[in-house]
Amino acid sequence: MRRIVICGGGAAGWLSAAALAAAFKPETFDIRVIEAPADTSALGVAGALRPEHAALHGLIGLRTHDLLSEADATFNLGFALRGWAEAQEAFLPFGPIGEGAGFHHFWRRARSQRIR
Amino acid sequence: MSKRPIETIVIVGGGTSGWMTAAGVARTLQHANIAIRLVESEEIGIVGVGEATVPHIRYFNERLGIDEADFMRKTNATFKLGIQLLNWARRGDSYIHPFGEIGRRINGVDFHHYWLRLAQNGEAFNPFEASLPAVAAEAGKFDFPKQDASIGSSYGYAYHFDATLYAPYLRAYAEARGVRRTEGKVVDVALNGETGFIETITLQNGERIAGDLFIDCSGFRGLLIEQALKTGYEDWSHWLPCDRAVAAPTESVGPPHPYTRVTAREAGWQWRIPLQHRVGNGYVYSSRFISDDQAREDLVRHLDGALMAEPRQLRFVTGKRRLSWNKNCVAVGLAGGFLEPLESTSLYLVQQAITYLLEMFPDASFDAADVDEYNRMIDLEYERVRDFLILHYHGTERDDSPLWNYTRTMAIPESLAHKMALFRDAGQVVQYRYGMFLERSWHAIYLGQRIAPQRYSPLADKLSLEETRRAVHGIRALVAREAAAMPTHAEVLARHCGSAA
């Protein structure tokens, strides 16, 4: 029996604990999480996740349904950037833009030919 | 420097490098107003010793719109499911490095961890029995991979073909798309006084050809990249000591195998490449450890068919050009570097050189950022292959000749030492995204070279021993059934693309 001690709770601490518990046979590790008492009067900080997170949730058996009902979750399709450059808002999607050779080349060509 | 588009590309040298480049450029840039010239000399023989490939070549052909059956017919080609390695870790050893998985992940954990768990429990078995392409190849079977989620879709394939037929095949393709071929030998290269860029090349008959972008496919001599631009070469002979090869074609004995055979020998290794109508053979060796005469004798003694021509000798220096792209010159093929064809990577490196050039196609300003990035990517390709090949030599138990004693004990690149240490300790393969080889190839060589990890991943303990046995042996049984049900390589060849004799 080996011991794993996780210092700190929150998402990082509890995700680590959950993942370790799920990945190995139950008797493999003695997992302990040490965290400061939670301040339950404060509203939790909202966080955003990326699609890559789905694999981890799958491992620990966390379903979309659980997130929606327990963590007040909404869906995230990407990130909108405002005010970073003078131009209009930019959007970083979770997915490809266009298809084939880097779409940005077609976009540039269209611009150079004044195609809107 | 001018930002105008490239107007003329001059390719120096034919052979597979030159014509693959011409075909690739003509196809991809056929809409652009670019003149493509290729200069080659019939006098200068191309290095045609039979070619084995990796699956990437299929994408190259596909991008050109080439019909597979037509290509196979015209190049005397056979299918290839992998490489059979004989006598590498120990004399008498045999395993196949397949184009596909060994087993499959169970519960998200790689198969070899379960193999090791059973082996450490006294239940060792041959892990390659869990690889469909390996088992099929050994049995002389072949079938096209499926497109479903079954085990039939878990492998790929490549070809063996006659390189001296592939070049003219691509030449016909390229010339039909506007590439202009000029017969001649280059005797002079003129550089711009200020920038050092290549401006024109002069042929023996006096003709001068100007260009914006020059592609050096002139082989080992590197007419442009080295003789004119003095780029320099990084010599890797201390890690890969083979520097010569003696090659000869032989008559077929029986139906062609769907795999390349590479047999470790006293001072190097011998290849056996089955084509439709004959077999290509060669002994790649180190002149430090054996004489040319002895090597030639050893090759001839180990042939399984009648000699069809006198053995020919080649010399090479393993390594790479310091810069594949220097100024306005890109070296493709042997002009860019050389790694022995132990894992059939020669045309792969040509293909990557062309592919990256097309993806990052410059304008006449030849921006340093573009050139540097290209070189970084090509260097990475070479280093990945280099490390993988060194593993074959260094990961041996053989001590029966000076070559093996040397490679078994030599200092190796830090990048490879790190990889081997990681696998030996925990059965993990260093992950990387670019360059050859996939994790499963590393697994194949480690396992085939008898490099077993000290411990398997504790994640593999989640299943009980009984569940593990069921899963593992279930895969072996499935592989055996699937391979048995496949047609023979000869049947598929005849049906798909038997070439005219």
Side-chain angles (χ1 to χ4, degrees):
Chain A
M1 175 73 90
R2 284 163 288 173
R3 278 185 180 177
I4 299 177
V5 178
I6 298 171
C7 284
W14 286 110
L15 262 176
S16 301
L20 286 165
F24 298 98
K25 221 166 50 176
E27 319 85 69
T28 314
F29 298 112
D30 172 3
I31 304 171
R32 211 170 270 221
V33 178
I34 305 172
E35 62 173 350
D39 181 2
T40 52
S41 66
L43 281 176
V45 175
L49 298 178
R50 296 184 52 87
E52 292 84 352
H53 225 81
L56 195 54
H57 286 169
L59 172 67
I60 63 181
L62 197 59
R63 303 162 303 160
T64 304
H65 173 85
D66 300 319
L67 286 168
L68 290 171
S69 63
E70 304 295 317
D72 205 9
T74 57
F75 293 101
N76 183 12
L77 286 171
F79 293 90
L81 288 89
R82 278 196 192 147
W84 287 88
E86 278 175 28
Q88 72 258 32
E89 170 179 304
F91 195 84
L92 293 179
F94 293 138
I97 299 172
E99 60 173 29
F103 188 76
H104 58 290
H105 293 298
F106 292 107
W107 173 78
R108 281 208 63 192
R109 186 181 171 197
R111 277 193 66 170
S112 72
Q113 292 177 5
R114 308 251 187 283
I115 296 167
R116 299 219 154 268
Chain B
M1 189 138 319
S2 165
K3 280 218 157 279
R4 65 170 175 79
I6 300 283
E7 280 159 22
T8 307
I9 299 174
V10 179
I11 301 167
V12 174
T16 42
S17 297
W19 289 111
M20 277 177 77
T21 303
V25 175
R27 167 67 160 191
T28 315
L29 297 175
Q30 60 193 4
H31 54 279
N33 253 334
I34 300 184
I36 308 167
R37 307 275 311 261
L38 186 146
V39 178
E40 69 171 344
S41 169
E42 297 280 352
E43 281 180 48
I44 303 171
I46 57 178
V47 184
V49 291
E51 206 76 35
T53 54
V54 294
H56 303 70
I57 193 84
R58 289 168 44 221
Y59 305 117
F60 185 80
N61 282 353
E62 257 168 58
R63 272 202 82 180
L64 295 181
I66 282 174
D67 174 72
E68 182 182 65
D70 184 59
F71 148 76
M72 291 184 74
R73 232 175 270 122
K74 303 253 172 67
T75 61
N76 205 1
T78 59
F79 294 108
K80 175 183 169 181
L81 286 171
I83 297 176
Q84 182 188 56
L85 293 94
L86 303 182
N87 304 341
W88 281 84
R90 288 182 197 171
R91 294 172 71 163
D93 275 1
S94 169
Y95 70 97
I96 289 187
H97 167 202
F99 291 136
E101 304 291 337
I102 295 172
R104 63 169 174 80
R105 303 186 111 207
I106 302 168
N107 248 16
V109 180
D110 283 333
F111 185 80
H112 66 281
H113 293 288
Y114 297 100
W115 165 79
L116 185 57
R117 182 180 174 192
L118 288 180
Q120 287 182 354
N121 198 56
E123 299 171 42
F125 66 94
N126 180 351
F128 294 91
E129 286 170 7
S131 169
L132 178 56
V135 171
E138 188 108 40
K141 304 295 196 92
F142 178 81
D143 207 352
F144 295 101
K146 311 273 181 298
Q147 301 288 342
D148 52 30
S150 77
I151 196 174
S153 56
S154 69
Y155 65 93
Y157 70 93
Y159 313 108
H160 308 108
F161 56 79
D162 185 340
T164 65
L165 296 177
Y166 189 47
Y169 185 80
L170 293 178
R171 172 182 162 181
Y173 178 100
E175 287 187 305
R177 282 158 184 77
V179 172
R180 208 175 121 201
R181 176 189 178 274
T182 302
E183 166 69 37
K185 263 199 271 189
V186 175
V187 297
D188 191 54
V189 180
L191 307 182
N192 177 289
E194 269 177 53
T195 63
F197 276 38
I198 300 175
E199 285 189 332
T200 62
I201 56 172
T202 306
L203 308 186
Q204 201 164 41
N205 65 359
E207 181 182 351
R208 286 171 60 196
I209 303 175
D212 300 309
L213 170 63
F214 288 82
I215 303 180
D216 190 344
C217 299
S218 66
F220 294 124
R221 59 185 84 87
L223 278 177
L224 307 183
I225 196 81
E226 194 57 47
Q227 291 184 19
L229 296 180
K230 318 237 179 293
T231 303
Y233 198 75
E234 219 175 293
D235 188 326
W236 287 338
S237 322
H238 51 294
W239 287 319
L240 293 163
C242 289
D243 59 351
R244 308 223 174 140
V246 55
T250 54
E251 287 177 6
S252 303
V253 285
H257 297 145
Y259 56 84
T260 311
R261 174 176 292 161
V262 300
T263 308
R265 296 244 176 263
E266 181 195 320
W269 58 276
Q270 178 177 339
W271 80 72
R272 186 185 186 282
I273 294 176
L275 303 178
Q276 284 187 35
H277 302 305
R278 65 165 201 274
V279 174
N281 311 272
Y283 184 6
V284 176
Y285 62 96
S286 174
S287 64
R288 276 165 62 178
F289 298 111
I290 197 173
S291 71
D292 291 346
D293 286 343
Q294 190 59 53
R296 190 185 175 290
E297 240 182 78
D298 282 357
L299 172 69
V300 171
R301 207 179 39 192
H302 285 115
L303 297 174
D304 60 8
L307 261 179
M308 291 174 69
E310 271 307 294
R312 287 185 304 118
Q313 203 211 48
L314 293 133
R315 296 180 179 213
F316 53 85
V317 178
T318 294
K320 72 163 189 61
R321 205 64 61 191
R322 291 203 187 280
L323 303 170
S324 272
W325 185 342
N326 190 357
K327 300 190 193 294
N328 64 335
C329 176
V330 178
V332 172
L334 301 177
F338 183 81
L339 285 160
E340 58 198 75
L342 178 55
E343 288 279 350
S344 312
T345 48
S346 307
L347 290 192
Y348 166 79
L349 290 168
V350 170
Q351 178 178 341
Q352 291 307 92
I354 298 165
T355 302
Y356 289 139
L357 175 61
L358 291 172
E359 277 176 14
M360 306 178 57
F361 201 74
D363 60 28
S365 68
F366 290 95
D367 198 282
D370 296 338
V371 175
D372 289 348
E373 179 63 4
Y374 179 88
N375 284 327
R376 189 187 70 82
M377 290 180 347
I378 294 293
D379 285 356
L380 200 97
E381 296 280 355
Y382 271 88
E383 282 160 22
R384 299 272 191 246
V385 175
R386 178 200 72 195
D387 279 4
F388 193 63
L389 296 185
I390 294 171
L391 175 61
H392 293 61
Y393 282 95
H394 185 64
T396 186
E397 295 174 14
R398 286 186 68 162
D399 58 1
D400 53 279
S401 78
L403 171 81
W404 299 110
N405 283 334
Y406 174 78
T407 63
R408 199 186 73 251
T409 59
M410 67 184 176
I412 59 176
E414 176 50 39
S415 47
L416 179 61
H418 167 63
K419 286 169 182 145
M420 291 180 73
L422 190 68
F423 190 80
R424 280 185 160 128
D425 176 58
Q428 300 297 335
V429 167
V430 170
Q431 305 232 9
Y432 52 77
R433 238 180 109 193
Y434 296 108
M436 295 267 267
F437 286 78
L438 297 177
E439 269 183 64
R440 60 199 194 188
S441 284
W442 288 91
H443 293 154
I445 304 307
Y446 283 130
L447 292 175
Q449 299 296 118
R450 299 173 176 272
I451 298 171
Q454 283 179 34
R455 59 189 178 94
Y456 58 88
S457 168
L459 294 171
D461 275 329
K462 194 159 183 202
L463 293 182
S464 71
L465 254 182
E466 188 43 49
E467 285 169 323
T468 300
R469 278 182 201 114
R470 251 204 313 271
V472 161
H473 298 307
I475 293 170
R476 286 172 70 211
L478 175 63
V479 164
R481 272 199 312 276
E482 290 281 321
M486 278 181 174
T488 65
H489 180 210
E491 278 168 355
V492 179
L493 272 179
R495 200 175 4 134
H496 186 62
C497 59
S499 73

